[in-house]
Amino acid sequence: FVDKKDGKLALAYIYVAFIAVFLGGTAGLLQVLVRSGKFELPSFLNYYQVLTVHGVLLGLVLTTFFIMGFQTAAVSRTSGTFTNKQRTIGWVGFWLATIGLVAAAAMVLTNQASVLYTFYAPLKAHWVFYLGLALVVVGSWITGLAQAMRFVQWRKEHKGQSTPLLSFMAVVNNLLWFIATLGVAIEVLFQLIPWSMGLVERVDVLLSRTLFWYFGHALVYFWLLPAYMVWYVVIPKVIGGKIFSESLAKLAFMLFLILSVPVGLHHQFTEPGIDPLWKFIQTVLTFFVVVPSLMTAFSMFATFEMRGRELGAKGVFGWFKKLPWSDSRFLLPFIGMVAFIPGGAGGIVNASYQMNELVHNTIWVTGHFHLTVATAVALTFFGTAFWLIPHLNGRKLTKRANSMANCAGILWAIGMTIMSSAMHIAGLLGAPRRSAYSEYGGSEQAAEWISYQITQAIGGSILFIAILVITGLIIYLGFFAPKGEEEFPVAEVAPGAEKVPAALENFKLWGIIMIAVIIFAYTIPIIDIIQNSPLGSIGYKLW
Ligand code: HAS
């Protein structure tokens, strides 16, 4: 069980995450309606403001807040109850992040920060927006520190034993997050805030984008790894099986740790000013970071098959029939896994240097990340919240609530299939991302996109219905569901699985490799950018 006091901290984070789901989802609905050409926003809203609300709330707030809540619960469940000091540190993080969120939201709502979730220069926001986002990050560092402290305490108390898998994974994710966010912290503190306050007149845009993407691709793995925690540790228990291999899971996470950051240049293939050699090197590294996902796919298939065979399944795919299809704790993450197959394949297309020329800045990319973060990750988070909230507040996921959760998952699958397929196809036909409806002066090519944009609006509307069901369920499970006990499922490792090699638990070793790979991949590109900057050696000029 997760201790009640730790549960309160986890719940606080999770509730903020779901307020973001509702508001961000509403902004998403407006988005697809505008792009269909059949709807105009009221005059007090502009397209980029709504798109910023959507991206910031779903891409940054839902994810960061849910992850901090889930990981707090996961560490408390598997390493033991937090000490008072650790819990207080966790709460300090929560309040800092929440104050930051309110500050950033105020700027977006007053149209002083319509700069999208990537907030690239030369789009400029009010400095309070950047400061607010910085506080969200610092808050998550602090709560992450509390989790790491509890984990370290466990290690001291259990010398020589292999660490609890879920806690280990949460700590790896916090470490990844900390190292990755250093890039965006430098961008925000030394470039964007001084520029936005008028202390410097110009900033080097290429440097700011490179610092952003140093962080930006690791960000997607910070989102993905908690979903993988559920896939590796929770799902085997829910289906009545065991974890295929703890060593494989720990190795996959350590590979993410060393490979998630030094791949950011694959978002900048089209940008001049970066030597193609380094773009190529980071392309190769990107292909390496695909490997731990392939290992995860292998491990999940193995878990399903092992359980299926235990239940008497025959043939290559017999296990499929033996899975608990009516259990939302399984179904929602499973839909997420299925979506991740085309989502991941699309990522490989994006990463393939030359093919990227075709899809870059088209709505194909939006289709890609709606399969990855907005389905594989989001559906896993939703399916988790539906049992985690009652576990934390002493209620039950009732049969009816479970059925409603399954309905939401199926609606999500239908809506997303329609919307994301239309996005992928329109992207291949050249439709740009991040643009409001336009007929581009009667262009024939643009005319081809319109039917796909209408299809996206249909898919997006179905997704919005799913969001209403999800919001209703969260309110019910949080405050009205009958009192009772709900399990926090944590699977055991399969008998006969090999012991975890000590090297896999050695954070120092992997930390050093991580820093070495980052230094290798980024030093020369950054020196080049700074040396060639027209703005001088620090990337901006004081006038
Ligand atoms: Fe990506 C752009 C490359 C994964 C998110 N990505 C984005 C953006 C976002 C995003 C948000 O190289 C847009 C950023 C922006 O605003 O500009 N991405 C990749 C690659 C991967 C990848 C190589 N992306 C993700 C994940 C994300 C995410 C994960 C969020 C969570 N992405 C790119 C590139 C761009 C990009 C370029 C820039 C494009 C541009 O030009 O701007 C890989 O990590 C993917 C590996 C995944 C797999 C799939 C493994 C499958 C599994 C499921 C198993 C299923 C089971 C069920 C067991 C190889 C684990 C079986 C059941 C049955 C019934 C079959």
Side-chain angles (χ1 to χ4, degrees), residues 117-118 120 212-213 216-217 219-221 223-224 228 231 256 263 266-270 286-287 289-301 304 319-320 325 334 336-338 340-352 356 359-361 364-366 368-369 372-374 376-377 433-434:
Y117 87 108
T118 41
Y120 301 137
F212 182 86
W213 283 117
H217 198 78
L219 168 71
V220 314
Y221 296 119
W223 299 334
L224 181 69
Y228 276 10
W231 296 3
F256 275 117
V263 294
H266 72 221
H267 290 262
Q268 298 178 275
F269 287 148
T270 55
T286 304
F287 278 84
V289 80
V290 170
V291 173
S293 283
L294 294 176
M295 288 163 61
T296 305
F298 172 79
S299 182
M300 295 320 299
F301 277 114
F304 295 151
W319 51 268
F320 194 78
W325 295 109
F334 186 85
M337 289 177 206
V338 174
F340 199 42
I341 297 175
I348 293 171
V349 169
N350 298 345
S352 302
N356 183 271
V359 296
H360 184 65
N361 272 350
W364 159 287
V365 175
T366 318
H368 160 67
F369 68 70
T372 50
V373 63
V377 171
R433 69 186 279 205
R434 295 180 154 174

Side-chain angles (χ1 to χ4, degrees), residues 162 165 242-250 299 302-303 306 491-501 504:
S162 83
L165 184 53
K242 301 259 187 312
I243 298 169
F244 169 66
S245 160
E246 185 178 346
S247 307
L248 181 145
K250 286 187 169 167
S299 182
T303 303
M306 273 180 355
E492 288 167 22
V493 180
E498 73 294 0
K499 202 178 161 302
V500 179
L504 281 180

Side-chain angles (χ1 to χ4, degrees), residues 332 402-412 466 469:
L332 272 66
N402 178 62
S403 308
M404 290 304 287
N406 284 336
C407 281
I410 291 165
L411 277 174
W412 199 275
V469 178

Side-chain angles (χ1 to χ4, degrees), residues 451-529:
S451 58
Y452 293 102
Q453 284 163 199
I454 292 172
T455 314
Q456 284 161 35
I458 296 169
S461 305
I462 298 175
L463 284 166
F464 185 68
I465 299 172
I467 285 193
L468 293 179
V469 178
I470 290 163
T471 309
L473 265 171
I474 296 292
I475 296 173
Y476 173 73
L477 293 167
F479 306 99
F480 301 104
K483 293 274 176 198
E485 275 184 15
E486 189 63 47
E487 182 194 10
F488 186 138
V490 174
E492 288 167 22
V493 180
E498 73 294 0
K499 202 178 161 302
V500 179
L504 281 180
E505 304 270 0
N506 189 338
F507 278 79
K508 255 189 219 144
L509 173 72
W510 292 92
I512 291 170
I513 302 177
M514 173 198 207
I515 290 167
V517 186
I518 294 175
I519 290 176
F520 162 69
Y522 267 111
T523 309
I524 296 179
I526 298 258
I527 290 178
D528 277 353
I529 291 170

Side-chain angles (χ1 to χ4, degrees), residues 25-45:
T26 308
L29 178 68
L30 295 178
Q31 213 67 51
V32 281
L33 294 180
V34 170
R35 282 187 73 112
S36 74
K38 308 275 178 232
F39 172 85
E40 271 182 32
L41 286 172
S43 57
F44 59 88
L45 287 174

